[in-house]
Amino acid sequence: MYHAIRPVAYEPDPGHGSWEQELHVLRLGDDLQKELTHRQRETRGAHRPHLPTGRLHALLRAWAPGVLATGRTAGADGPLPWLYAREPVPREVLAPLIGTWAATLSGDEDGAADMEQLLLADDEPETPLLPEWKVERVDLTETAVSGGGTAEPAARLYHLLPEAVAFRLAGAPFQAGGRTLHFRVVSSGTGGVDLVSWPPLRYEYRKQTWYYSALLTVTVHTTPFGERFRVHVATGVRRWATRLDIPRWKLGGATVLLDSPLPWPEGPDRGYRLMVNTLGYDRSSNGIGWKRRSPAMLLPDLDLTSRYPEPEELFGLPEKWLNGGQGVAAGIVHHPVLGPHGVGAGLMPRERAGLDAWIEQVLSPVLRRVPDLCRVTRRNTPALLPRSARTGERGTRDAKQALGRRAALGLALGGRPLDVEVLWQSPQTRDALLASLPTVIGLAPGCRTDEGGTTGWTAEGIRIRIRTRQAGALASALVLSGDRRRPAAVRLAEAVEERCALVEGVEPWKGEGVGLVIAEIAGKETFASIPDSDPKHALRVAHARQRRLTQFINLPGPGAADLEHRANWAWLDAFRQLGAVSPPVHRAGDDIPKNLQYVALWLVRCTKDGPTRSAARRLVAVRVRTDAGSGTVEGWDAERAEWVPYPSMLLSLAGTAAEPFTDLEREIRTVLFRLRDRPTLVLANSGNLRQCWPHLRNGGLHRDLLAFGSGPAQRLSLYGEDLRMVLVRDDNGRDEVPEWYAHDGASGIGFSEGVWASSDDPDNRVFASTTGTPPSAARPKGLMKLTPAPGARTAPGATAWNPKLLEVTVLGCRTSSGQPDNPLDWATLTHQLRYHDDYPPLGYPLPLHLARLAKEYVLPFAAMRGPAADSGGS
């Protein structure tokens, strides 16, 4: 057992002091901004709040030697810092770049030369159009401490420091296993910075060559109440496409990294960058072209001597351009939509540890690795059923597990029958579902009855009735109007209404029990050729109007999991929607109140790019009450301002959603005030909920205090003397928590489950929760992909699954009035809620898992008929 884990994260080294650099700073200036804005308005006539500088910034980062970073808001305010550089970029370099870009604003092909002449003119040297570079001493570790005690970097460091770290790493080759990797910087301008090893590595497999690179992602973050901010470096694999096995019209947008020669004199960091572009189908030309303001389309005007790839040629011969020629190379970043790839994703912990040691050495002495986290409790799991490889013991465990599911189902049904309709397309799936149910909940053969086309089971107060029918047209693709002059959201909503009418017309549902539909439909890839044609969401809305929950199972096909396995999971997911699931008995200590209830908050945010083409926000609140090992699951009904059974809440969500600007903070306060009847643990994902509750950002946190809107922070106890609150945080798609690996202080490297902290200080509030690797993802920990050692196993084709670290912050607990809480107990309880007999370790505590999955029913469609009827499960 490992006793420490090591985050792949680094912080300012207090022993070194500030990391200061003299940088050259250029501001856009009012005069140049006005000139550019005038050219934009003169042609396009529309007023924009700022200049569209994204393409120009990509050009400057890749082609202007010495440019370190670009200001994120310079296009909106001339006096703000625009460019940061290690040395001033000459006017003769900047002028052609700005001129070529400016021509795209006005649409005037001659505008580039005109703009270039204006920038190079020296008739009025006192007031040049292009301002002069200024030398500024920049502290790359500048820190301020929030009122709650969280160290935060200066705002500009979120995009400036990752660039500085990335260039430091790019200047030091990584050597291991007899191989040397050189990294290139890939900047997107959004805060984080990627590095990819270049040129790509090769993997020969089954007479085909696959290409891949090492991938590092550098981001800057804070940690709640932390004394120093952190730099996270995530590690992985970047895979490159060698052929595109899709029709042109299906290429929505593929990222292309371009390696091009610099036509300018030598400068610092020369050749350390790759340029980011997007390749995709252009409907206007009916062909492949550069998209999303890709800077590649400007290069032929800047460099007349080099040959750059044409989009159609790159689409047809990606491997040729990946290998490059005459100093120009281009790599299309692989995505699953482009077809299979012979190289597996991810790195195993031993290889990550090697990269971590190299990064630590390169960043020293300005940054140091953050301290290891040590195990702070041995109470890792709740009271789970024992696992055994012995056949007899395994059978006993399965029987107990089925008995527990049946008891939970009986509690959720509350004496009402469960009426199930199976809409099938393949007889094998129908038969598998009927055969699986008795095994899943332990029904004896003698309790089954078959009459009138209905299969039923009755056992210990549970009545289940199943009717099967062919899905037919119900599971077919939606047919949308071809009138593209009308909004896509409206045409989709009309297609959904047509499917709802079809469901209603086939045979109106007359069930008196709790309604459930299990529908067999094709996988989403079947409907990918026609946008918005997948019927899944329409069927969910249609059956919700009939007060029935829906669970889907895909048609059998190549590569599909075992049918029996998928049928079992279909029933388990259906039981979860019924609220027939509760956490196992915890083992977090005797100081946890016996009648504790859990409340989880989750913000569902739908965008216009989502599957329903409509935007909305909806707060989901789930309450789980446990009592002697069983429990009830409820959801918050905002319209009725009360708790209702979980399935009732799900059905009330389908086809409706709150307005985008609903005061969700007020709704959260209402929920909290209704939790005073018993001890309560509130669980929230801070990365998710701070979108509607800004005070949950790390810099806004205060121990044992809550704040809403513009009001002052108030004691948590004002919302209830027995209220506790725990915030969890995952990577949130932004590497907000670091990657990690376990070690034994010697040569042992691997993974380990448990609760961890940087110290055993009883006042510590921030912990880490890690779980084990599921059996299906088990791989040897020492597999190498990037730098194979002599005699060691190499497996570029293996997929490396890594358990995610979950940050656990005990924001509020009882600190007075009797026995004060130990924050470790509440962190341990939160960790144990990630375990359940029916599931592999969960990404979130079970109540939060239930709240997050409620998003399946938040389906806001344009011009919907109205709210779904109340659930038969209420």
Side-chain angles (χ1 to χ4, degrees):
M1 176 183 289
Y2 298 102
H3 296 286
I5 64 174
R6 177 161 291 172
V8 186
Y10 315 90
E11 63 185 9
D13 190 339
H16 177 267
S18 301
W19 179 11
E20 295 186 349
Q21 288 190 356
E22 281 195 352
L23 297 179
H24 297 265
V25 180
L26 182 69
R27 288 164 171 79
L28 189 63
D30 290 335
D31 292 339
L32 181 55
Q33 185 188 35
K34 289 177 182 177
E35 174 66 26
L36 294 171
T37 303
H38 171 72
R39 289 171 178 250
Q40 176 182 243
R41 293 178 184 171
E42 191 176 55
T43 302
R44 305 190 180 187
H47 173 72
R48 291 190 178 187
H50 57 80
L51 293 167
T53 55
R55 185 188 297 173
L56 173 60
H57 286 176
L59 269 177
L60 291 168
R61 285 191 297 265
W63 262 30
V67 168
L68 181 64
T70 54
R72 300 179 65 182
T73 56
D77 191 344
L80 290 175
W82 176 32
L83 302 179
Y84 295 90
R86 300 181 187 275
E87 67 176 34
V89 181
R91 286 174 180 266
E92 56 269 24
V93 173
L94 282 179
L97 295 174
I98 298 174
T100 302
W101 166 77
T104 67
L105 296 178
S106 62
D108 180 7
E109 294 183 0
D110 298 327
D114 177 47
M115 190 70 206
E116 184 176 345
Q117 290 178 4
L118 283 175
L119 294 173
L120 292 174
D122 55 2
D123 294 339
E124 299 179 81
E126 300 85 6
T127 57
L129 188 60
L130 185 62
E132 297 291 334
W133 290 88
K134 303 293 184 183
V135 177
E136 294 185 11
R137 193 164 187 81
V138 178
D139 181 2
L140 295 175
T141 55
E142 182 182 354
T143 305
V145 180
S146 72
T150 297
E152 298 183 286
R156 62 180 173 180
L157 296 187
Y158 281 103
H159 68 277
L160 183 55
L161 182 55
E163 297 277 0
V165 169
F167 272 100
R168 195 174 179 109
L169 295 174
F174 173 64
Q175 296 179 327
R179 179 180 284 173
T180 300
L181 300 181
H182 299 269
F183 283 90
R184 297 286 193 92
V185 179
V186 181
S187 303
S188 63
T190 58
V193 177
D194 287 345
L195 295 105
V196 295
S197 60
W198 196 261
L201 303 171
R202 298 186 178 203
Y203 171 49
E204 304 287 342
Y205 182 66
R206 292 184 177 178
K207 298 182 180 180
Q208 187 169 349
T209 302
W210 304 95
Y211 297 82
Y212 67 106
S213 297
L215 172 66
L216 307 177
T217 301
V218 184
T219 49
V220 173
H221 299 284
T222 63
T223 186
F225 317 126
E227 295 181 355
R228 298 173 187 87
F229 68 82
R230 295 181 170 186
V231 174
H232 294 171
V233 182
T235 62
V237 170
R238 170 72 78 218
R239 297 177 292 178
W240 307 99
T242 53
R243 63 185 183 194
L244 305 184
D245 297 323
I246 60 172
R248 284 169 168 74
W249 54 267
K250 290 184 68 173
L251 187 67
T255 299
V256 177
L257 301 185
L258 184 63
D259 180 18
S260 60
L262 296 179
W264 322 112
E266 292 287 344
D269 309 326
R270 179 180 175 86
Y272 280 179
R273 288 192 188 271
L274 296 176
M275 186 186 299
V276 182
N277 301 274
T278 303
L279 189 74
Y281 179 71
D282 183 3
R283 293 183 181 276
S284 61
S285 64
N286 194 30
I288 299 295
W290 297 116
K291 301 183 66 176
R292 301 174 189 169
R293 304 186 180 278
S294 296
M297 64 180 64
L298 304 180
L299 297 184
D301 295 330
L302 289 165
D303 182 5
L304 302 178
T305 62
S306 299
R307 179 173 179 262
Y308 294 96
E310 292 293 335
E312 283 286 354
E313 183 185 12
L314 183 57
F315 178 86
L317 299 170
E319 186 174 5
K320 169 189 172 181
W321 280 102
L322 187 60
N323 289 314
Q326 298 182 352
V328 177
I332 300 177
V333 176
H334 174 76
H335 187 277
V337 75
L338 302 179
H341 201 285
V343 175
L347 298 178
M348 294 306 288
R350 184 167 298 280
E351 201 150 35
R352 176 177 295 116
L355 287 166
D356 174 44
W358 167 71
I359 295 169
E360 179 187 24
Q361 180 182 10
V362 175
L363 297 184
S364 177
V366 292
L367 299 179
R368 68 177 185 183
R369 185 196 288 122
V370 302
D372 287 353
L373 303 180
C374 299
R375 191 182 301 278
V376 290
T377 180
R378 293 187 177 275
R379 302 192 298 267
N380 289 330
T381 60
L384 299 173
L385 293 173
R387 295 185 179 275
S388 174
R390 298 179 180 177
T391 303
E393 295 178 0
R394 188 168 62 247
T396 301
R397 182 186 188 280
D398 292 344
K400 290 181 178 180
Q401 198 169 0
L403 182 63
R405 294 183 191 126
R406 193 168 73 216
L409 180 61
L411 183 65
L413 294 176
R416 292 160 299 169
L418 174 61
D419 290 315
V420 184
E421 183 174 46
V422 174
L423 299 175
W424 58 274
Q425 297 189 62
S426 60
Q428 305 97 307
T429 299
R430 175 200 61 197
D431 296 343
L433 287 168
L434 292 175
S436 174
L437 176 62
T439 302
V440 170
I441 56 175
L443 297 171
C447 1
R448 173 170 172 167
T449 58
D450 294 276
E451 58 181 57
T454 299
T455 301
W457 285 269
T458 302
E460 299 178 7
I462 294 179
R463 290 175 295 159
I464 301 176
R465 301 180 297 215
I466 300 181
R467 182 178 62 173
T468 65
R469 70 162 71 172
Q470 286 189 278
L474 298 182
S476 63
L478 299 181
V479 179
L480 276 68
S481 167
D483 185 1
R484 295 187 178 277
R485 294 173 298 179
R486 302 168 61 229
V490 173
R491 292 186 286 124
L492 175 58
E494 290 175 348
V496 170
E497 287 294 339
E498 291 176 2
R499 187 55 48 92
C500 289
L502 183 60
V503 170
E504 182 71 24
V506 168
E507 184 177 339
W509 174 253
K510 299 178 181 179
E512 299 178 355
V514 179
L516 169 68
V517 174
I518 301 181
E520 183 181 21
I521 63 174
K524 60 182 180 181
E525 66 279 356
T526 303
F527 306 102
S529 60
I530 303 178
D532 301 327
S533 63
D534 192 333
K536 181 177 182 179
H537 304 300
L539 290 174
R540 180 151 275 161
V541 171
H543 290 113
R545 290 180 178 177
Q546 296 182 337
R547 301 178 302 165
R548 294 193 286 175
L549 299 166
T550 43
Q551 176 60 38
F552 298 95
I553 184 170
N554 284 350
L555 284 163
D562 175 74
L563 182 56
E564 179 182 355
H565 173 79
R566 293 191 297 114
N568 288 344
W569 272 106
W571 285 113
L572 291 178
D573 283 343
F575 295 160
R576 182 258 305 166
Q577 294 182 46
L578 291 166
V581 59
S582 61
V585 176
H586 72 78
R587 295 192 289 200
D590 296 334
D591 292 336
I592 303 296
K594 303 299 181 185
N595 59 339
L596 180 70
Q597 66 180 358
Y598 307 103
V599 171
L601 304 175
W602 189 271
L603 173 66
V604 179
R605 183 172 175 266
C606 304
T607 68
K608 291 184 178 180
D609 294 330
T612 67
R613 305 297 183 189
S614 297
R617 297 194 308 169
R618 186 67 180 258
L619 178 72
V620 173
V622 170
R623 179 170 72 175
V624 178
R625 288 183 166 180
T626 58
D627 206 0
S630 62
T632 57
V633 182
E634 298 171 309
W636 178 254
D637 188 313
E639 296 294 328
R640 294 158 57 176
E642 63 182 13
W643 296 100
V644 299
Y646 184 69
S648 298
M649 180 198 71
L650 294 180
L651 294 176
S652 71
L653 296 174
T656 65
E659 292 297 324
F661 301 106
T662 299
D663 188 351
L664 297 180
E665 284 190 274
R666 176 176 294 182
E667 191 173 334
I668 293 171
R669 296 182 70 179
T670 301
V671 171
L672 294 180
F673 275 121
R674 297 290 294 271
L675 301 175
R676 296 171 176 271
D677 59 324
R678 66 168 68 186
T680 303
L681 171 60
V682 175
L683 296 161
N685 181 317
S686 56
N688 163 262
L689 207 58
R690 65 172 177 246
Q691 298 177 60
C692 69
W693 190 0
H695 285 283
L696 291 191
R697 68 177 186 85
N698 288 344
L701 299 180
H702 293 73
R703 290 175 175 84
D704 308 312
L705 299 178
L706 291 182
F708 294 91
S710 59
Q714 298 176 308
R715 289 181 293 108
L716 182 69
S717 59
L718 291 177
Y719 298 90
E721 288 293 334
D722 280 327
L723 184 66
R724 284 86 171 176
M725 187 166 189
V726 169
L727 300 178
V728 300
R729 186 168 59 141
D730 57 1
D731 64 1
N732 196 29
R734 299 175 57 250
D735 298 320
E736 291 192 25
V737 297
E739 291 184 340
W740 63 280
Y741 56 92
H743 71 95
D744 60 6
S747 59
I749 300 291
F751 296 127
S752 187
E753 61 184 347
V755 183
W756 316 83
S758 58
S759 72
D760 56 1
D761 182 354
D763 294 327
N764 174 57
R765 294 296 186 92
V766 183
F767 304 85
S769 164
T770 61
T771 61
T773 303
S776 60
R779 295 287 188 276
K781 305 300 187 295
L783 286 181
M784 310 292 276
K785 292 186 176 183
L786 306 175
T787 53
R793 295 186 61 183
T794 60
T799 297
W801 189 91
N802 293 273
K804 296 294 186 181
L805 181 148
L806 193 66
E807 180 185 85
V808 177
T809 300
V810 183
L811 180 63
C813 56
R814 186 157 55 183
T815 58
S816 58
S817 64
Q819 182 68 27
D821 289 335
N822 182 353
L824 174 59
D825 291 342
W826 295 94
T828 301
L829 175 60
T830 302
H831 168 77
Q832 291 187 12
L833 285 170
R834 300 179 66 184
Y835 291 84
H836 194 279
D837 283 315
D838 280 341
Y839 309 111
L842 299 171
Y844 299 112
L846 179 63
L848 200 59
H849 177 75
L850 296 174
R852 184 181 69 88
L853 290 182
K855 68 181 181 182
E856 297 172 344
Y857 280 83
V858 181
L859 300 171
F861 287 96
M864 290 302 295
R865 187 175 68 184
D870 188 22
S871 162
S874 60

